[in-house]
Amino acid sequence: MRSFAWNTGLTALVGLLALFLSPDLTAQQRLDLGVHVTPQALSMHSEERDGFREGNFVYTEGGSGVDVGISAGAYLEYEVVPGLSLRAGVDMVRKRYRYDVRQTRLDSVAGNSGLNRIVYMAMEIPVSVIYRFDYFRNNDRFLVGAGGVIGRFVGDPQAETAFYRGNSGGDNFEYRNYSLHVLAGYERYLSDRFVLGFEPYISYAPTPDRFHLETRTDAVSGLEAGLSVRLRFDN
């Protein structure tokens, strides 16, 4: 499945790049290249593990939290018809998660509290369908869009845990390879060649990230939000 997503994303990028290099289409100003930097707010909450049974003398359970990550990358946009464009790119992403965790003993009313942090790098292949509304007098535009990440390739995670029980092997981490997002934005016309854009977005993963670091709960992350700052080189 990962190889299919990877091949699909590469095929889309190669196809758009070929269009970008075509003199005819460049003259028609239908394909643009862009770059972006995107701060992200990454939320985390905990859910009770399937099959968890009371009876452990000491157990740990997680809470919730929010941390900040960042992504950066390049993309191509092809205008299918006036106002409607397709976007595909490659991003490098640094994900950061943080959430509360608690350790409890059955022979004690009190418990110890701590904090878990998880950080990892990933490469993502995002695609979107973008619709831009009519120009204002100064050539600025509003836009809306929808799409998702069709491929995601994760590096080794770094975990700092308060009460981690077990080893840090890959079996304790489950990653989402796909997600859906919606976005809106505003583009500021800078010159005949450059357009500056601001695009807030919300992303949802039907199959969320899961981190099996606690004995009673799993830490789950399926929602994120961010603000993309984009510079598009308008042909």
Side-chain angles (χ1 to χ4, degrees):
M1 187 66 72
R2 286 191 178 187
S3 61
F4 172 77
W6 172 252
N7 291 333
T8 301
L10 282 182
T11 300
L13 287 176
V14 170
L16 287 177
L17 184 58
L19 291 172
F20 182 75
L21 297 176
S22 169
D24 293 338
L25 287 178
T26 300
Q28 296 173 16
Q29 301 183 356
R30 300 184 67 183
L31 190 68
D32 297 328
L33 172 68
V35 294
H36 77 92
V37 175
T38 304
Q40 304 170 333
L42 307 171
S43 67
M44 178 74 76
H45 69 279
S46 295
E47 299 177 355
E48 186 168 297
R49 280 195 175 189
D50 292 336
F52 172 78
R53 296 181 180 179
E54 294 283 358
N56 293 331
F57 182 70
V58 179
Y59 63 86
T60 56
E61 57 185 331
S64 60
V66 177
D67 210 337
V68 177
I70 191 167
S71 71
Y75 62 95
L76 293 172
E77 276 193 16
Y78 178 68
E79 188 177 49
V80 181
V81 296
L84 184 66
S85 300
L86 300 179
R87 177 190 291 171
V90 175
D91 293 346
M92 293 302 298
V93 185
R94 182 175 174 84
K95 301 287 188 182
R96 293 168 51 92
Y97 297 99
R98 178 180 61 186
Y99 62 99
D100 299 327
V101 65
R102 180 180 176 85
Q103 183 185 71
T104 303
R105 296 170 56 95
L106 294 183
D107 62 348
S108 174
V109 177
N112 298 321
S113 297
L115 193 68
N116 283 3
R117 294 185 177 90
I118 303 167
V119 180
Y120 61 85
M121 297 292 295
M123 183 177 72
E124 296 182 344
I125 302 176
V127 297
S128 300
V129 178
I130 307 295
Y131 182 78
R132 291 179 172 85
F133 297 94
D134 292 339
Y135 287 104
F136 297 111
R137 291 183 179 179
N138 57 356
N139 290 325
D140 294 354
R141 301 179 88 171
F142 284 109
L143 61 88
V144 295
V149 172
I150 63 173
R152 190 158 171 259
F153 311 93
V154 178
D156 292 332
Q158 300 177 2
E160 298 179 5
T161 66
F163 312 109
Y164 184 47
R165 303 185 65 180
N167 59 62
S168 57
D171 293 341
N172 294 312
F173 300 87
E174 296 180 19
Y175 303 104
R176 61 190 186 212
N177 294 320
Y178 312 99
S179 61
L180 306 173
H181 62 247
V182 293
L183 60 93
Y186 179 77
E187 291 184 333
R188 175 67 176 173
Y189 179 82
L190 300 180
S191 70
D192 291 339
R193 298 289 294 177
F194 299 104
V195 177
L196 180 64
F198 302 91
E199 298 180 7
Y201 77 93
I202 298 176
S203 175
Y204 167 73
T207 304
D209 286 354
R210 285 183 176 271
F211 305 100
H212 310 292
L213 301 179
E214 283 69 59
T215 58
R216 184 171 185 172
T217 60
D218 288 335
V220 179
S221 177
L223 288 174
E224 69 178 57
L227 174 63
S228 292
V229 180
R230 298 181 180 268
L231 182 63
R232 197 173 83 248
F233 307 102
D234 199 355
N235 291 311

